[in-house]
Amino acid sequence: MTSTTSEYLPNISYDSVIFGFSGEKLKILILEYHNMKTFALPGGFVKVDEALDEAVKRGLSERTGLDEIYLEQFHTFGSMQRFKPEIMKRIMEEQGNPVEDHWLLGRFITVGYYALINYKNVSPTPDYLSDSIEWYDLDQLPDLMMDHREIIEKALEHLRIHLDHKLLSFNLLPEMFTMKELQQVYEAILGESLNRANFQRKMLSLNILERHDKLYTGGSHKAPFLYSFKKP
Amino acid sequence: MTSTTSEYLPNISYDSVIFGFSGEKLKILILEYHNMKTFALPGGFVKVDEALDEAVKRGLSERTGLDEIYLEQFHTFGSMQRFKPEIMKRIMEEQGNPVEDHWLLGRFITVGYYALINYKNVSPTPDYLSDSIEWYDLDQLPDLMMDHREIIEKALEHLRIHLDHKLLSFNLLPEMFTMKELQQVYEAILGESLNRANFQRKMLSLNILERHDKLYTGGSHKAPFLYSFKKP
DNA sequence: ACAAAAGTGTTTGCGTTACACCCATGG
DNA sequence: CCATGGGTGTAACGCAAACACTTTTGT
């Protein structure tokens, strides 16, 4: 722990696992530090007079340009293995800000959050510490800093378990969507294919969907109904 | 945030919801601060070189005299409503330690943990800040500090959902127990009565129990089998 | 007419619920 | 032999999986 005062709480951070989807594969937003080949989850710090949840929303908005994201907290990581001040030191030196005693070099307990968004709505913008921020396929992740790989695994576990209850909250699908699109979301996230007929029945039985007019795509086949999530 | 250095991380705390059971009702361990009529969950702080999980185990051991407790993290609370420095200030003044600038008066983000133990195995001992620590029935809790009531509600929610998977880990029942005792645990925690026959079948179908000799209590009825949890 | 995609129906099996019946034990 | 508690059996129900069948659409 360092004694340097700043506008942020020392020793506490958050890391966000941003799942992105757009029709096919599930992706994750990863940032790379300047010339360092160091990949990490987008994370950040909490201001002294800011709620934790607010801090995460703020940071995410800065990095993705997307506001009003539904975020879900899933676990807090506090082992000592997380303490690797050399990495952050190198990052700050690369940035031309060499420091010996800085709160960023302290030990951090990090709170994990995840979100699920449509990555077509998003223009990720690197922050001042990193030089790139990119979507990576779930099965083609680069080597990640510290325990970030473990954080992703745990986030994915939570996402899969709570998918039914959370999908409404994530603004992942367009306002109107077909049953097939909905199924593709489920299949990408669960990593398995589902029976079409049974999926349809299960979704309709949840009573959260509203059926609208049919969608004529010009394809040589029956036109599918459009659905939206019920508002109330 | 204060800049006073100490052996603890500033701004981070944990609170533990210790559920206790011993045959009938579900109870919770609550401490009371000296002459203050201020009731709170037993919580504590993390040393600068100590893992979060370790800190919680240490604090709990100090307060209950029980080691090797299975603890489960469930949520981290970080709203600004938690920031009520006056309360801690009054507590410290009562203790004869008036201070203006102390890390304990800072804002805290707290990590919630819960455990489930047999309260007959436990001799709760007050720590230096509090003057009593007692078991309270779940439905007769006193008014609690800050958001501690909300923390309990959330802990209970998690306990109920994860009971099947977690009961093995909690050292709640004696080595050997009857099916009835196991059912009473479930009923106390879930807050509802269960069908005897079906409960028996469900438990046996989980394949986590080992059946031993019958228990002759001298009661005018059939002697029940004893069970233990399977080790491997 | 055909292929492709979407919607609906049917059968089956499994797990849960409710309730009944039988067994063991001590008074 | 009876009351009490414990173990097991069974029918009914609901849900979910697997699969088949029908309908719609553009070529």
Side-chain angles (χ1 to χ4, degrees):
Chain A
M1 170 198 145
T2 69
S3 55
T4 316
T5 7
S6 84
E7 62 173 325
Y8 294 99
L9 296 178
N11 309 300
I12 298 171
S13 63
Y14 66 84
D15 282 295
S16 41
V17 183
I18 311 302
F19 294 104
F21 180 80
S22 193
E24 305 157 62
K25 305 194 80 171
L26 195 59
K27 293 172 185 285
I28 296 183
L29 203 55
I30 303 279
L31 59 81
E32 182 177 4
Y33 288 109
H34 199 66
N35 290 332
M36 294 281 293
K37 296 220 166 115
T38 302
F39 297 89
L41 289 171
F45 308 98
V46 185
K47 292 185 181 172
V48 292
D49 59 352
E50 180 183 44
L52 173 61
D53 288 348
E54 293 307 315
V56 182
K57 275 185 202 160
R58 175 181 50 77
L60 198 57
S61 155
E62 287 167 11
R63 284 200 168 83
T64 63
L66 197 66
D67 292 310
E68 298 189 31
I69 291 181
Y70 179 80
L71 282 149
E72 185 82 4
Q73 186 197 301
F74 64 96
H75 192 74
T76 296
F77 301 83
S79 83
M80 284 306 293
Q81 278 89 286
R82 297 188 47 71
F83 186 39
K84 297 264 175 61
E86 317 79 44
I87 299 177
M88 185 51 80
K89 205 166 170 182
R90 270 171 52 216
I91 291 170
M92 294 173 81
E93 281 164 3
E94 283 287 327
Q95 304 280 327
N97 289 319
V99 271
E100 279 306 309
D101 181 37
H102 190 281
W103 64 277
L104 273 173
L105 299 176
R107 172 201 167 187
F108 280 89
I109 288 179
T110 200
V111 186
Y113 281 77
Y114 72 88
L116 179 55
I117 60 177
N118 184 332
Y119 64 74
K120 288 198 173 152
N121 302 342
V122 176
S123 47
T125 45
D127 70 348
Y128 73 104
L129 278 174
S130 49
D131 71 344
S132 85
I133 184 160
E134 298 283 350
W135 290 105
Y136 286 82
D137 277 8
L138 193 55
D139 47 12
Q140 289 174 34
L141 295 177
D143 275 341
L144 293 167
M145 211 173 155
M146 293 195 291
D147 56 353
H148 286 196
R149 181 72 203 219
E150 185 194 331
I151 293 176
I152 289 176
E153 295 300 334
K154 201 135 189 166
L156 189 57
E157 206 178 291
H158 274 255
L159 173 60
R160 285 178 172 160
I161 293 174
H162 300 114
L163 189 53
D164 280 353
H165 303 283
K166 297 293 153 52
L167 197 61
L168 278 143
S169 318
F170 297 126
N171 52 347
L172 183 64
L173 287 162
E175 180 68 20
M176 297 286 204
F177 49 88
T178 63
M179 194 56 81
K180 176 160 196 163
E181 289 173 318
L182 185 59
Q183 184 171 347
Q184 283 170 336
V185 172
Y186 268 76
E187 290 181 338
I189 292 168
L190 299 180
E192 58 183 339
S193 52
L194 304 169
N195 179 290
R196 186 177 55 84
N198 297 333
F199 180 81
Q200 169 126 341
R201 241 188 312 272
K202 183 186 166 183
M203 284 302 120
L204 292 178
S205 76
L206 291 177
N207 218 34
I208 57 171
L209 295 180
E210 205 158 349
R211 181 177 276 187
H212 303 277
D213 290 340
K214 291 188 179 182
L215 170 71
Y216 293 87
T217 57
S220 322
H221 52 74
K222 194 167 177 176
F225 287 110
L226 283 172
Y227 295 89
S228 67
F229 291 115
K230 280 183 185 168
K231 292 297 170 196
Chain B
M1 167 200 149
T2 68
S3 55
T4 315
T5 6
S6 84
E7 61 173 324
Y8 294 98
L9 295 178
N11 310 301
I12 298 171
S13 63
Y14 66 83
D15 282 294
S16 41
V17 183
I18 312 301
F19 294 105
F21 180 81
S22 193
E24 304 157 65
K25 305 192 80 169
L26 195 60
K27 293 172 184 287
I28 295 183
L29 203 55
I30 304 279
L31 60 81
E32 182 178 1
Y33 287 110
H34 200 64
N35 291 332
M36 293 283 293
K37 295 216 168 122
T38 302
F39 297 89
L41 289 171
F45 308 98
V46 185
K47 292 184 181 171
V48 291
D49 59 351
E50 181 183 43
L52 173 60
D53 287 349
E54 293 306 316
V56 182
K57 275 184 201 162
R58 175 179 51 75
L60 198 57
S61 154
E62 287 167 10
R63 283 198 170 84
T64 62
L66 197 67
D67 291 310
E68 299 189 30
I69 291 181
Y70 179 80
L71 283 149
E72 185 82 4
Q73 185 196 301
F74 64 95
H75 192 74
T76 296
F77 301 84
S79 83
M80 283 307 292
Q81 278 90 288
R82 297 189 47 73
F83 186 39
K84 296 266 176 60
E86 317 79 43
I87 299 177
M88 185 52 78
K89 207 166 169 180
R90 270 169 54 217
I91 291 171
M92 294 174 80
E93 281 164 2
E94 283 285 329
Q95 306 278 328
N97 290 317
V99 272
E100 279 306 310
D101 181 37
H102 189 281
W103 64 277
L104 275 173
L105 299 177
R107 172 203 167 187
F108 281 87
I109 287 179
T110 201
V111 186
Y113 281 77
Y114 72 89
L116 178 55
I117 61 177
N118 184 333
Y119 62 74
K120 288 196 176 155
N121 301 342
V122 177
S123 47
T125 45
D127 70 347
Y128 75 103
L129 278 175
S130 50
D131 71 344
S132 86
I133 183 160
E134 299 281 351
W135 290 104
Y136 285 83
D137 278 8
L138 194 54
D139 48 13
Q140 289 176 34
L141 295 177
D143 275 342
L144 294 166
M145 209 173 158
M146 294 195 290
D147 57 352
H148 286 195
R149 181 72 203 217
E150 185 194 330
I151 293 176
I152 289 176
E153 294 301 333
K154 201 132 189 166
L156 189 56
E157 205 178 291
H158 275 254
L159 173 59
R160 285 179 171 158
I161 293 173
H162 299 114
L163 189 54
D164 280 354
H165 303 282
K166 297 292 152 54
L167 197 61
L168 279 142
S169 319
F170 297 128
N171 52 347
L172 183 63
L173 286 163
E175 179 68 20
M176 298 286 206
F177 50 88
T178 64
M179 194 58 80
K180 177 160 196 164
E181 289 174 318
L182 184 59
Q183 184 171 348
Q184 283 170 337
V185 171
Y186 268 77
E187 291 181 338
I189 292 168
L190 299 180
E192 58 183 340
S193 52
L194 305 169
N195 179 290
R196 185 177 57 84
N198 297 332
F199 180 79
Q200 169 126 342
R201 244 189 310 271
K202 183 185 167 184
M203 284 303 120
L204 292 178
S205 78
L206 291 178
N207 218 33
I208 55 170
L209 295 180
E210 203 157 349
R211 180 177 276 190
H212 303 278
D213 291 339
K214 291 188 176 181
L215 171 70
Y216 292 86
T217 58
S220 320
H221 52 74
K222 194 168 178 175
F225 286 110
L226 282 172
Y227 295 89
S228 68
F229 290 116
K230 279 184 186 168
K231 291 299 168 194

